[in-house]
Amino acid sequence: MATLSVNGHFALLLIWIGIWLSECNNIGPSLGDDLLSPYPYGHSHGPSHSHRHVRDCQSVVHGNVTHQTWPASNHTGVPVAESKVFISDVPGTTRWVTGHITVVHDPLRTVSVLEPGGPGGCGMNQREAVEETARAGSCLYAQNGGFFDTRTGECLGNLVSDGVQVRDSKGLQNAQFGIRRDGTLVFGYLSEEDVQDEANPFVQLVSGVVWLLRNSQVYINQSIEAECDTTQETGNFRHFVDVVSARTAVGHDQEGKLILFHIDGQTDRRGMNLWEVADFLKGQGVINAINLDGGGSSTYVANGSLASYPSDHCLSNPMWRCPRRVSTILCVHQPQCQPEDCSGHGTCINGHCQCQEGRSGTGCDTLVCQPPACGAHGVCTQDGCACDAGWRGKNCSQVCDLGFYGDGCNQTCNCTNGGLCDTVHGDCSCPIGFRGDSCEQECPLGLYGLDCGQECQCQDMCPCDPVTGSCNALFQGEKNQSIHRAGHCLANQMFATWSEEEAHKSKPYLSEQCWLIVTGLLTSLLLSSLVGHLIMCWRSPAHHPGRVDYSYVPLTEIGGACSSGDRGKGSQPSRGVFEMDSDSQDELWSGPR
């Protein structure tokens, strides 16, 4: 397929004349005369069979999967997208077509499915020109999107716009294009469960008709089987596929860049049929693609201005062509965050959510902390792991430091004397020999052991060591002073008791009166003895010098008389040595008279 350069003067002149004419004469609504519908009017938009029918009828090479996914490109460089105008011949024909291909580098952040006129448009069955919706959405580039009822304006098929589900087709099997929250591109047929997936929900979703390319292969015949109702004559659907007309499509390339495709035309006169569109896109390296609304709805807008040739005639003057008021559009805009407020947990900067601490994901809607990250001692919150009392650390795997307890380990333990603090409640486990809420009390005298629960077994009820229970214990400090004071007090009490008891006992001693009498008698005797002695002293020789109280007889004479008597008389008995006559005796031992 030959493609002419957009720099050709003739091509540029032709395009700009068409744009000028369209803008100048866009003075009212179109007649809506270039209709291209896959289903007869009055018939439901889509087949009546279920997703299971589509799954069972597809080729076994695809297994049970009825759609294709592809990771989206996330190049954030400038420009956001590249729009190219082409003029090309159609192989095997004499037809030439003009159109646009727009390559979007970061689909997740720069592509939105917009309701007509803005949010709420589908709810009011509103129809609006692509230009108007594009201006309201600040679109750099825009083209028409999903199908709608031309009589009532009702939006058809599934629709999710910027994370908000606007419409649910209840499992209707038409070709779908969507972008999930993680940036995954989705093309194909979806079950109701796929559409309502909450684990990775759609942030953009729109329904088309006919899956053009599946994994780089034309998939039109399979789409006819999947999307054509068995009660419907195939003539209308086949005509929709085979007729040349203005067309709009969306797909992606190998890198995950989104490809927006648009060609001008008029049904049964100019443009392409879907086989030719599929071949063209395949030649441009597109992997998966679906067809969107075409015919008179096919519209392309660049920078808020119409850049395509409408095929509908103007209502006010059929001489001119006017763009049709349509339903949804595909909008390429400056990078935006999904959601715009970053789920309330971040700041949107150049289309990227800068998440708060503890949050992650493109929309900051995922907790960084995910079970079992916090182990058995914590739970995940938006601020990370919330640890149970007594535990700390990023993953709640560390017990509180020694001396701390409670939530966040921010309370200080009050245990003394080496007591161990419970990291959860702060209760103290006292060492042997201590007790009390803070282990501040040593075991009382007479008790020892763990929690002071054992009695001392010492003789005479003496205190023991509070730790070991040993009776050979030495006490220090206050306890020693207490024992000393107690002993002193006990001794005083014992002495006082003994004194009191002694005072009440009957004594075998003389009374005080008797003692006075005895003392008086003894004093009288002593005085009498003293007087007698004085009288005797007064009568002594010292007081009578003329009286001789004794005679001096030499002992030799007394001994000699005795000796001579013995020798002269032999053995006659003699007087004793001191035998004297009475006169001599009187003279010798004569006392005072």
Side-chain angles (χ1 to χ4, degrees):
M1 182 180 292
T3 303
L4 300 182
S5 171
V6 295
N7 293 323
H9 298 291
F10 176 77
L12 288 175
L13 180 61
L14 181 63
I15 292 169
W16 284 110
I17 289 175
I19 294 174
W20 179 78
L21 287 174
S22 297
E23 291 180 344
C24 290
N25 293 282
N26 184 18
I27 57 177
S30 70
L31 288 172
D33 50 336
D34 187 10
L35 296 176
L36 181 63
S37 175
Y39 302 101
Y41 290 105
H43 189 279
S44 65
H45 184 79
S48 60
H49 51 247
S50 66
H51 175 263
R52 180 175 181 178
H53 172 81
V54 174
R55 182 193 65 192
D56 294 342
C57 291
Q58 70 178 2
S59 173
V60 294
V61 70
H62 301 299
N64 291 326
V65 181
T66 60
H67 60 272
Q68 298 297 134
T69 60
W70 203 272
S73 167
N74 61 356
H75 298 300
T76 56
V78 178
V80 171
E82 298 170 351
S83 179
K84 300 178 181 179
V85 179
F86 66 88
I87 302 174
S88 178
D89 68 329
V90 179
T93 72
T94 59
R95 287 178 279 117
W96 286 75
V97 294
T98 61
H100 300 81
I101 285 184
T102 306
V103 180
V104 185
H105 300 287
D106 189 2
L108 176 64
R109 296 172 182 83
T110 61
V111 173
S112 295
V113 178
L114 300 183
E115 298 180 68
C122 281
M124 298 182 292
N125 291 338
Q126 182 177 344
R127 292 170 57 185
E128 193 61 73
V130 175
E131 290 175 88
E132 298 302 323
T133 305
R135 290 192 189 108
S138 301
C139 302
L140 302 175
Y141 307 101
Q143 66 183 36
N144 65 292
F147 289 80
F148 62 97
D149 190 319
T150 57
R151 293 167 298 178
T152 64
E154 179 186 4
C155 300
L156 300 176
N158 292 307
L159 178 60
V160 175
S161 176
D162 291 335
V164 178
Q165 186 175 34
V166 178
R167 200 172 187 282
D168 181 7
S169 69
K170 304 299 181 182
L172 201 64
Q173 293 304 295
N174 286 123
Q176 311 283 325
F177 158 66
I179 306 175
R180 291 196 180 275
R181 184 173 61 188
D182 64 354
T184 300
L185 304 177
V186 180
F187 292 84
Y189 302 111
L190 303 175
S191 67
E192 181 70 5
E193 291 75 16
D194 294 329
V195 174
Q196 300 298 332
D197 180 18
E198 295 183 357
N200 187 19
F202 282 103
V203 292
Q204 313 294 341
L205 182 63
V206 66
S207 295
V209 174
V210 178
W211 192 350
L212 299 172
L213 292 174
R214 183 174 187 177
N215 283 339
S216 301
Q217 301 300 315
V218 177
Y219 203 68
I220 295 176
N221 281 328
Q222 295 88 331
S223 292
I224 292 173
E225 294 181 8
E227 299 186 56
C228 183
D229 200 333
T230 56
T231 63
Q232 174 190 346
E233 294 183 5
T234 60
N236 196 77
F237 201 90
R238 273 289 183 180
H239 179 263
F240 173 79
V241 172
D242 295 338
V243 69
V244 295
S245 185
R247 301 288 184 174
T248 306
V250 60
H252 73 87
D253 64 10
Q254 185 70 31
E255 296 180 26
K257 297 176 182 178
L258 198 68
I259 308 298
L260 302 183
F261 171 82
H262 157 268
I263 59 167
D264 295 315
Q266 187 172 357
T267 302
D268 212 18
R269 292 187 181 182
R270 295 178 284 114
M272 287 182 176
N273 61 37
L274 292 185
W275 302 96
E276 293 165 345
V277 171
D279 286 335
F280 183 88
L281 292 175
K282 182 178 178 180
Q284 300 300 313
V286 175
I287 307 298
N288 291 286
I290 69 165
N291 174 66
L292 299 173
D293 194 9
S297 297
S298 185
T299 309
Y300 186 80
V301 171
N303 295 316
S305 299
L306 183 67
S308 60
Y309 295 96
S311 60
D312 276 356
H313 291 85
C314 294
L315 181 62
S316 60
N317 188 346
M319 176 182 175
W320 307 108
R321 302 297 175 106
C322 289
R324 178 182 295 174
R325 291 183 177 179
V326 298
S327 180
T328 57
I329 71 169
L330 292 180
C331 171
V332 180
H333 47 70
Q334 292 293 342
Q336 292 180 357
C337 295
Q338 294 295 337
E340 294 184 11
D341 65 347
C342 297
S343 304
H345 302 295
T347 304
C348 185
I349 301 176
N350 294 327
H352 293 271
C353 286
Q354 302 296 321
C355 300
Q356 298 171 354
E357 185 176 358
R359 287 280 178 169
S360 66
T362 56
C364 300
D365 52 357
T366 303
L367 291 172
V368 172
C369 173
Q370 292 291 331
C374 299
H377 304 291
V379 293
C380 287
T381 69
Q382 65 180 20
D383 298 320
C385 288
C387 300
D388 295 338
W391 295 86
R392 63 183 183 88
K394 288 186 176 181
N395 57 357
C396 302
S397 61
Q398 304 173 35
V399 297
C400 292
D401 290 334
L402 195 64
F404 296 91
Y405 74 97
D407 292 330
C409 299
N410 56 7
Q411 299 186 60
T412 304
C413 296
N414 295 319
C415 302
T416 59
N417 296 314
L420 297 178
C421 177
D422 179 78
T423 57
V424 177
H425 304 292
D427 297 335
C428 295
S429 296
C430 300
I432 296 175
F434 293 90
R435 69 176 183 178
D437 292 339
S438 302
C439 304
E440 74 282 3
Q441 302 174 15
E442 195 173 8
C443 286
L445 294 175
L447 300 177
Y448 76 99
L450 186 64
D451 292 330
C452 305
Q454 296 177 272
E455 294 186 2
C456 296
Q457 303 299 321
C458 299
Q459 188 176 2
D460 298 328
M461 299 182 67
C462 289
C464 64
D465 186 278
V467 177
T468 64
S470 173
C471 296
N472 187 17
L474 295 177
F475 299 98
Q476 303 291 332
E478 185 177 349
K479 178 169 283 192
N480 185 49
Q481 295 177 4
S482 298
I483 294 174
H484 176 74
R485 288 194 295 268
H488 183 73
C489 177
L490 183 61
N492 288 338
Q493 289 180 348
M494 290 176 64
F495 181 77
T497 302
W498 176 79
S499 299
E500 186 176 352
E501 291 177 352
E502 288 296 318
H504 290 83
K505 285 182 180 180
S506 58
K507 300 183 179 66
Y509 305 112
L510 298 176
S511 64
E512 184 177 355
Q513 186 177 7
C514 293
W515 275 109
L516 290 175
I517 295 173
V518 171
T519 302
L521 291 175
L522 292 175
T523 301
S524 301
L525 291 174
L526 181 60
L527 291 174
S528 300
S529 175
L530 179 60
V531 171
H533 180 70
L534 290 175
I535 293 174
M536 290 181 65
C537 288
W538 183 77
R539 290 181 178 178
S540 65
H543 297 279
H544 303 279
R547 183 178 176 95
V548 181
D549 291 329
Y550 58 89
S551 294
Y552 176 73
V553 179
L555 290 176
T556 56
E557 294 182 2
I558 296 174
C562 182
S563 299
S564 58
D566 289 341
R567 286 188 304 263
K569 294 182 179 178
S571 60
Q572 287 183 357
S574 61
R575 291 183 181 178
V577 176
F578 295 99
E579 187 178 352
M580 299 179 184
D581 56 23
S582 59
D583 292 336
S584 299
Q585 191 174 11
D586 289 338
E587 183 179 353
L588 182 61
W589 300 104
S590 60
R593 299 182 186 237

